[in-house]
Amino acid sequence: MDTSFGVLFEHLTAGRFVGAVVIFTVTSFIVDFASKPSYPDSLPRVGHGKGFVASLRDHWSYFTRFQDWMQEGYEKHSKYGRLVVVPSSASRPAKIVIPQSQTTWMLEQPDSVIGTHEAHNDILYSEYNFLGKRLSDDVYHTRVVHKSIARALSALIPGTQEELKDSIDKVFGLDTEQWKSVNVWDSWLSIVPQVTNRMLIGADGHVNRNSALLESMVKFTDCVVQSSFLFCMFPKSLHPIVGPLLTIPNWIHYWRGAKHTLPVIQKRLDDMNKKAAGDPAYHDWLEPEDFITWTIRVARAEGNSFELQPSVIAKRLLPIEFAAIHTTTLTGLNMILDLVSSDLSLGYLEGLREEAARVFKEEGGKWTKNGLSRLYRIDSAIRESQRLSIFATTQVERKVVARSGITNPTQGWHAPYGSSLVLNWQGLHHDPDLHHEPERYDAFRYSNPREEYESRPAEQKDPAEALRLKKMGMVTTSDSHLAFSHGRHACPGRFFVAHELKMAIAYIVMNYDIKHINKKPEVQWMGQTVIPPLQARVEVRRRKGSVSRSYADGNNQDRKAE
C-alpha cells in the first residue's frame, strides 16, 4: 500500500469517522441556513422565532406542528388580509402565506418573477424523483397536456367508460347476494391507474391493463411520496449526495414499467412516421388519442428531437402518472368516505343514484360531455369532498425567481429571491365566513342552487346568474376553491379528472349498494401533507336489477349482475 494511504488509514478510527460525518452534517445545515432567503423582521410569523437555534427547532417540529402553525397563522393574520411567515422543513425556506385578498396579485405576476415550475420542482424534488435534471427543467409534459387534452376530451370518454366498468367490476365484484368488504384506498388504486393508463398509452388491452405495468405505476407514485418526505429531513446542500440513493427505487420501478411502455412508444413513432411519409398502407390509419400521440405531435411541431426519443417519452409519462394517480385516488377515497359517513336522513346516496340513472338513460347508455355536464349533484358531491377533505395544508405554491425579489405594492412587504409563496388551503376551505357549516359534508351544497335555477320558467332565468352558477362546478377554480390550484397554472388535466370521477361515482351508485359507516376514519398529518386512512374499509354489494348493459357500449353483456 502507498505510504500516504497507509498513514491515512492508521489515523482513520471509527470515532474520527463519526466525528467527521457529524461535522460535515452540521456544516451542511449551517450552509443551508445561510443560503435561504432572509425575511424582514417586520413580517408576522408563527413558530419558534428567528435565528439558527429557533430554525433548528422549527425543522424538528415541522412534521408534527405545521398544521397547527398554519391554522394559527390563518386565525391571527391571513383571515384579516395580512401575510404570515410559517416555518418549513429543513430543505425548504419558510413559507410566506399570502392572504386571500392578495391572491389575484400573486397569480398575475409573470413567470419570470414568480415561478410555478420552480416551486413544483422544489416541492417534489423533481430532479431526483423524475429521473433527470433536463427532464425536470422543462415543463414539456405539462405543455403537451395543455395543448391537447381539452380537444381530446370527447374522444377519451368511451375508453374511460370501458376501463371504469372493467376495473370497478373487478374490485367490487358482481355478487348480488353477499356483502363484500373492500379497502377503499386499495380499490381506488386499482381503478385510477387503469383509467390513467388508457389515457396515456391507448387501448391495447395487453399493455394498458397489464398488471406488472399497473403495479410499477403505483409503486413509482408511492416512491415519489416517500422520498419527498425523506428529502425534507436533509438540508438542500446534501441532496446531490442523498438524492441518487433515495431515488434508486424510482429507477427500478421506471425500468420495470418501461419494459411494457417502450415497445408501444416505438411502434407509435414508427406508425406516425409512416403515416407522415405517405405510406399507402397507412392511408386510412388514425393515430390513437392519448398522451403518446400528443407528445409526438407537439415535439414534431416544435422541431424537438430530444422529446421524440422513446426513453424520454417513457419518462415523460412518470409525472403525469404521479399527478393523475395520487391526487385522483385521494379524491376518490375521500369522496366515498364522506358520502357513506354522512347522515342517512339527508338522502345523498339516493339523490346521486337517481340523477345518475336519469341522465344515463337520457344519454342512451353512453356518456357524453353534455351528459356529464348535467350531473350537477355528483359534481357537487365531489367538489364538496374536495373542499372538506383536503390532502395538504397549502396550495398554489410559487417561488420568487426574480433576483431582485418582489414587493407587494398594496401592503409594502418585500419577498427576496428564493422565497416560497403559498395560499392557506386548509384555512380557506374551512372558514365559516366563506362556507356555511364548513366542517359538515353537504353533498348538494353546490347543486341545489343550480337545480333550482334549471327548474325555473325560461322567462325567470337570468344569463348572468346562469354564468355565476356554472362557476360552482368542480373544475372552476377560485381564490376559495383551490383543489385544482388556481390561476393560469391551474391543473390542466382537471377536466379529464372531473369526467373520470363523475363517471366512476355514477357507475358505483347505480350498480352498488354501500353500507353506511358511523364515522369517517381520522387522517394523520406529516408536515403539510395528509396521510390518508389507508386501512379504511366499506362493504359493497352489487344491486339486484342494477344496470346490466355494458357501461361502455350499451349492449347487453353483463348478465352476471342480474
Side-chain angles (χ1 to χ4, degrees):
M1 179 181 291
D2 184 88
T3 304
S4 59
F5 279 101
V7 173
L8 173 65
F9 280 103
E10 283 180 10
H11 291 84
L12 184 61
T13 64
R16 288 173 176 170
F17 177 77
V18 171
V21 170
V22 170
I23 292 172
F24 178 73
T25 303
V26 171
T27 302
S28 297
F29 272 102
I30 294 173
V31 170
D32 204 56
F33 174 79
S35 64
K36 286 177 181 174
S38 178
Y39 301 145
D41 291 339
S42 59
L43 299 185
R45 64 185 67 228
V46 295
H48 295 294
K50 286 183 63 67
F52 180 69
V53 175
S55 293
L56 288 179
R57 293 180 65 195
D58 286 338
H59 298 333
W60 181 260
S61 303
Y62 164 77
F63 292 99
T64 57
R65 293 291 310 282
F66 185 78
Q67 188 187 22
D68 295 333
W69 288 335
M70 288 296 295
Q71 189 61 33
E72 178 186 350
Y74 188 81
E75 294 295 337
K76 289 182 177 180
H77 303 285
S78 303
K79 190 175 175 68
Y80 303 102
R82 299 187 295 268
L83 68 77
V84 61
V85 177
V86 179
S88 190
S89 64
S91 64
R92 305 291 313 285
K95 299 180 186 298
I96 297 178
V97 184
I98 303 298
Q100 185 183 23
S101 61
Q102 298 301 307
T103 299
T104 300
W105 166 81
M106 183 180 83
L107 297 180
E108 285 179 346
Q109 299 305 310
D111 293 339
S112 59
V113 176
I114 298 180
T116 301
H117 176 59
E118 293 83 355
H120 290 171
N121 278 352
D122 285 352
I123 296 167
L124 294 172
Y125 308 92
S126 301
E127 176 183 347
Y128 305 102
N129 269 325
F130 297 112
L131 315 184
K133 182 171 175 55
R134 182 169 181 179
L135 291 166
S136 67
D137 283 345
D138 186 1
V139 290
Y140 176 80
H141 54 279
T142 304
R143 192 163 68 250
V144 168
V145 174
H146 265 296
K147 287 176 175 288
S148 310
I149 199 165
R151 293 194 297 267
L153 276 176
S154 293
L156 293 171
I157 288 174
T160 302
Q161 290 181 232
E162 185 179 331
E163 300 305 330
L164 284 169
K165 178 189 184 301
D166 180 78
S167 57
I168 294 172
D169 284 356
K170 285 188 294 190
V171 171
F172 286 0
L174 301 173
D175 192 336
T176 60
E177 299 297 332
Q178 301 297 319
W179 289 94
K180 179 180 180 180
S181 175
V182 297
N183 179 293
V184 186
W185 176 258
D186 290 343
S187 296
W188 281 103
L189 273 184
S190 296
I191 296 166
V192 173
Q194 183 172 322
V195 176
T196 301
N197 235 9
R198 179 68 173 259
M199 181 267 288
L200 290 176
I201 66 174
D204 185 342
H206 295 296
V207 179
N208 77 290
R209 296 183 184 180
N210 182 283
S211 59
L213 175 57
L214 294 172
E215 182 181 9
S216 72
M217 291 170 63
V218 172
K219 289 188 174 180
F220 181 89
T221 298
D222 290 342
C223 285
V224 172
V225 176
Q226 292 163 7
S227 59
S228 294
F229 278 127
L230 294 174
F231 272 110
C232 287
M233 300 178 184
F234 293 92
K236 192 172 183 178
S237 54
L238 289 182
H239 287 183
I241 299 173
V242 301
L245 299 175
L246 293 177
T247 55
I248 288 173
N250 301 47
W251 280 96
I252 292 172
H253 296 304
Y254 159 69
W255 287 324
R256 288 176 177 172
K259 291 191 299 184
H260 305 283
T261 58
L262 283 173
V264 177
I265 294 167
Q266 186 61 64
K267 186 176 188 310
R268 187 73 54 80
L269 281 164
D270 294 342
D271 289 341
M272 292 178 71
N273 286 337
K274 290 175 182 177
K275 174 80 171 182
D279 188 328
Y282 283 78
H283 181 268
D284 297 321
W285 181 78
L286 296 175
E287 58 265 33
E289 285 296 332
D290 55 38
F291 181 80
I292 294 176
T293 293
W294 306 336
T295 195
I296 294 170
R297 283 179 188 156
V298 174
R300 284 178 169 176
E302 296 179 353
N304 191 335
S305 59
F306 175 76
E307 297 293 346
L308 289 172
Q309 298 176 63
S311 61
V312 173
I313 296 175
K315 289 176 183 174
R316 287 296 186 192
L317 296 172
L318 301 176
I320 307 295
E321 288 173 359
F322 170 76
I325 293 173
H326 186 248
T327 56
T328 309
T329 298
L330 281 166
T331 304
L333 166 82
N334 287 323
M335 164 63 192
I336 291 295
L337 294 179
D338 284 327
L339 180 64
V340 300
S341 62
S342 59
D343 188 341
L344 281 173
S345 67
L346 298 173
Y348 292 150
L349 183 58
E350 292 76 10
L352 298 180
R353 182 173 291 145
E354 185 280 327
E355 177 186 68
R358 168 170 42 82
V359 178
F360 190 61
K361 182 178 180 180
E362 292 169 357
E363 292 296 306
K366 293 183 179 180
W367 287 119
T368 64
K369 285 179 67 176
N370 180 58
L372 292 169
S373 71
R374 301 202 310 277
L375 293 177
Y376 300 140
R377 296 175 195 167
I378 290 179
D379 186 290
S380 174
I382 298 170
R383 174 175 169 143
E384 172 69 347
S385 184
Q386 291 177 313
R387 182 198 66 77
L388 178 66
S389 302
I390 59 173
F391 45 81
T393 48
T394 64
Q395 182 64 297
V396 196
E397 185 149 352
R398 300 290 185 265
K399 181 178 181 178
V400 177
V401 294
R403 288 290 172 177
S404 59
I406 186 171
T407 300
N408 181 276
T410 303
Q411 301 181 343
W413 52 262
H414 180 78
Y417 170 77
S419 300
S420 175
L421 310 183
V422 301
L423 299 181
N424 190 327
W425 190 7
Q426 171 181 280
L428 288 166
H429 275 215
H430 297 87
D431 188 336
D433 292 335
L434 299 175
H435 311 280
H436 178 63
E437 295 185 277
E439 300 305 324
R440 183 174 74 87
Y441 178 72
D442 181 357
F444 301 153
R445 183 186 296 268
Y446 306 104
S447 59
N448 282 335
R450 300 177 75 180
E451 290 194 271
E452 189 278 327
Y453 178 87
E454 292 297 330
S455 68
R456 297 179 197 171
E459 62 272 14
Q460 296 181 18
K461 292 182 177 180
D462 177 12
E465 184 180 3
L467 181 60
R468 180 183 65 81
L469 292 172
K470 186 177 181 180
K471 292 180 179 179
M472 290 184 172
M474 63 183 289
V475 296
T476 303
T477 67
S478 72
D479 60 9
S480 60
H481 177 55
L482 304 175
F484 290 115
S485 189
H486 186 40
R488 66 183 181 276
H489 292 295
C491 173
R494 66 187 185 277
F495 301 98
F496 172 77
V497 172
H499 284 177
E500 174 187 8
L501 285 169
K502 286 197 277 190
M503 283 189 277
I505 297 301
Y507 188 78
I508 290 170
V509 299
M510 282 194 295
N511 290 280
Y512 292 91
D513 289 317
I514 311 177
K515 279 189 178 180
H516 179 264
I517 60 176
N518 293 325
K519 183 181 179 182
K520 183 180 177 181
E522 297 287 340
V523 301
Q524 294 179 308
W525 288 87
M526 181 175 289
Q528 69 177 51
T529 306
V530 73
I531 300 175
L534 301 178
Q535 304 307 315
R537 307 184 73 85
V538 296
E539 292 190 70
V540 300
R541 182 176 64 191
R542 187 78 174 201
R543 300 183 68 224
K544 293 181 179 179
S546 62
V547 178
S548 60
R549 292 177 302 175
S550 168
Y551 198 52
D553 59 21
N555 296 323
N556 290 331
Q557 295 177 356
D558 185 11
R559 294 296 182 185
K560 294 180 180 179
E562 297 186 338

